[in-house]
Amino acid sequence: MTALTSTLADYRHQLRNNRLGLWLFFVSEAFLFGGLLVARFYLWGNTRPDLDQKLGLAITSVLLISSFFMARAESAIAHDDRQTFLESLFTTAILGVTFLVGVVGFEWGGHIKPSDGAYGAVLYGMTGMHALHVLSGVVFILIVWNRGRKGGFSAERHWGVEACAIYWHYVDVVWVFFYPALYLMGSVIH
Amino acid sequence: MIDVTQATIVLAALSAVLLVGLLVGSLAFFSVFVNRQFPPEPAKKKEEPAADVALLSRRSAAYRLGFLVLTALAVLTAVEYMVGVAWSSVALLLVLGLFKAGLIVQYFMHVTRVWSEEEH
């Protein structure tokens, strides 16, 4: 075995381990978000607070579009399209910040407060924990973008971009379940 | 029982989805029509090495797939919103959520790479 094939085999082995590790981390995170969902169904039952439906739909759309741009960024670097990679990654970060503004700036500024019993506790617990993950995702994206700007990734080697993309999509998947649980399921309590 | 406000929202959302569908459909139709009627002149086409053409083709396919997944997610979210506003069926909303999560996990997160030998 030559030094080159040995290095390549090592890299592939490392890549497999990295992916497995990341997915195991997601499994552990699923318990956290699953617990919050269980709390929502236990405490709210078949009811929900009167939240702004348009805002919920808008921030959900923003997060889904951000996932599209993140997938585009990953495809771009995998196909050696550096310009699209950097543009898409930056767009994803902007959309992530827009989502945060929607949740923290508008939803949290609504009529429900954290002290409003089970409704306030669950709403702020779920959106707060999710927003924290979005915030860490935006920081992760900006770090990857900065490294990408300096030529730190190539079509052959871009595990950092792949990990960042998978993390961002995971945050999106969590919101796919949180959105209907918070905004759509159950009858409105006034 | 659906009241007038809910029915209006459902109709507005349905109209928006139909409008977007019509717009995308018309654009696709006219793009095919224009390409057939006025094909690009082959003489002006830049000659590229075969490897570059293959890379560009794979890149376009990857971008197209991303756009298709986004379209599917948008349609499912619109349906989810209508179901939530009109009926608030927990079971149906869960099924729709699972579909959306499945699309993201399969096409954006590439879950199969965990157990396959596939590289980036």
Side-chain angles (χ1 to χ4, degrees):
Chain A
M1 188 183 276
T2 65
L4 182 66
T5 51
S6 168
T7 308
L8 200 63
D10 282 351
Y11 177 68
R12 282 179 181 160
H13 182 69
Q14 186 61 50
L15 193 62
R16 265 208 309 277
N17 284 347
N18 288 348
R19 282 175 181 155
L20 188 60
L22 189 63
W23 278 91
L24 283 174
F25 165 68
F26 290 151
V27 171
S28 69
E29 286 264 285
F31 284 96
L32 171 73
F33 289 114
L36 286 168
L37 269 176
V38 169
R40 178 258 177 253
F41 285 106
Y42 182 73
L43 293 170
W44 288 8
N46 199 26
T47 62
R48 63 180 159 92
D50 188 15
L51 299 173
D52 188 346
Q53 289 293 331
K54 283 175 196 147
L55 179 64
L57 187 62
I59 57 175
T60 303
S61 306
V62 165
L63 206 57
L64 288 177
I65 294 168
S66 78
S67 245
F68 161 73
F69 277 104
M70 181 48 104
R72 192 178 172 84
E74 196 195 347
S75 295
I77 195 67
H79 295 94
D80 225 6
D81 186 357
R82 199 165 295 277
Q83 186 67 27
T84 309
F85 160 65
L86 290 172
E87 284 170 6
S88 301
L89 209 57
F90 197 72
T91 309
T92 309
I94 299 278
L95 290 168
V97 172
T98 310
F99 176 86
L100 282 175
V101 169
V103 172
V104 179
F106 292 95
E107 194 57 82
W108 286 10
H111 62 283
I112 299 174
K113 301 292 166 211
S115 53
D116 288 346
Y119 291 103
V122 169
L123 176 69
Y124 280 81
M126 285 174 79
T127 53
M129 186 56 75
H130 185 264
L132 194 64
H133 281 75
V134 173
L135 182 64
S136 57
V138 170
V139 172
F140 195 174
I141 288 170
L142 290 176
I143 290 168
V144 168
W145 177 78
N146 190 43
R147 206 179 145 197
R149 204 169 49 87
K150 293 172 182 168
F153 302 108
S154 67
E156 292 77 27
R157 291 195 171 210
H158 55 269
W159 162 246
V161 179
E162 187 184 329
C164 180
I166 296 175
Y167 180 78
W168 190 257
H169 297 312
Y170 182 74
V171 170
D172 192 17
V173 166
V174 170
W175 189 255
V176 159
F177 292 103
F178 273 23
Y179 166 60
L182 290 171
Y183 288 85
L184 303 174
M185 289 176 182
S187 49
V188 179
I189 292 293
H190 293 284
Chain B
M1 195 67 183
I2 304 171
D3 66 22
V4 179
T5 317
Q6 285 177 338
T8 313
I9 292 170
V10 171
L11 279 174
L14 199 59
S15 310
V17 170
L18 281 173
L19 201 65
V20 171
L22 270 173
L23 194 67
V24 172
S26 325
L27 282 173
F29 174 78
F30 282 116
S31 137
V32 171
F33 176 77
V34 169
N35 274 337
R36 278 189 187 164
Q37 294 299 314
F38 310 102
E41 290 180 34
K44 288 181 183 171
K45 198 178 171 184
K46 189 184 160 191
E47 288 295 325
E48 286 166 336
D52 284 357
V53 173
L55 178 72
L56 286 175
S57 166
R58 280 202 307 274
R59 186 193 291 171
S60 307
Y63 292 163
R64 213 167 30 243
L65 179 67
F67 186 72
L68 280 175
V69 174
L70 176 68
T71 310
L73 288 171
V75 170
L76 284 172
T77 305
V79 173
E80 194 176 36
Y81 179 77
M82 287 186 281
V83 168
V85 170
W87 300 289
S88 193
S89 162
V90 175
L92 201 51
L93 286 170
L94 270 178
V95 170
L96 286 167
L98 283 172
F99 264 115
K100 284 169 71 179
L103 281 174
I104 297 169
V105 168
Q106 174 67 27
Y107 293 106
F108 284 171
M109 295 174 84
H110 312 288
V111 68
T112 49
R113 282 181 185 167
V114 178
W115 56 82
S116 73
E117 293 289 319
E118 190 187 343
E119 286 187 53
H120 291 295

